[in-house]
Amino acid sequence: MKKVPMRRCIGCMESKNKKELLRIVRVSDTDVNFDSTGKMSGRGTYICSANCLNKAIKSKKIEKELNVKIDENTYNKLLVDINTYIK
């Protein structure tokens, strides 16, 4: 039997199957993007929903996990990209 990779959502702190989660990745020292494929290179973190993304933004958990300062424009871009992907 193949082992299922598990990851933790930084919004609700629940461990879930990696395929159920959405990945946010730090590509360079200042660039943060939504990774729709889950395979981009770079430091990544996971969320399970747009609701958890909002929690992570308010508590600045994304900045802490990715060790980068994120401005409001990047957060807005992440919200738009993730909401578009979910629909």
Side-chain angles (χ1 to χ4, degrees), residues 24-86:
I24 298 171
V25 64
R26 183 188 73 200
V27 181
S28 66
D29 289 339
T30 58
D31 194 21
V32 176
N33 294 323
F34 168 60
D35 180 10
S36 61
T37 64
K39 296 183 180 190
M40 286 176 70
S41 63
R43 176 80 175 145
T45 189
Y46 295 87
I47 58 161
C48 63
S49 66
N51 223 8
C52 284
L53 177 62
N54 288 326
K55 285 182 193 176
I57 289 171
K58 287 178 184 174
S59 63
K60 300 198 182 268
K61 285 185 180 179
I62 297 173
E63 290 183 3
K64 292 173 189 169
E65 288 285 322
L66 299 179
N67 294 327
V68 66
K69 184 75 175 157
I70 302 174
D71 62 1
E72 194 166 328
N73 291 335
T74 305
Y75 279 132
N76 290 334
K77 183 176 178 270
L78 284 173
L79 282 167
V80 168
D81 290 347
I82 289 173
N83 285 328
T84 304
Y85 181 78
I86 290 173

Side-chain angles (χ1 to χ4, degrees), residues 3-21:
K3 186 176 178 184
V4 178
M6 301 293 283
R7 298 293 184 267
R8 184 174 304 227
C9 171
I10 62 168
C12 62
M13 301 306 285
E14 287 184 27
S15 290
K16 296 183 180 185
N17 184 338
K18 182 179 174 183
K19 293 186 184 221
E20 296 175 14
L21 297 171

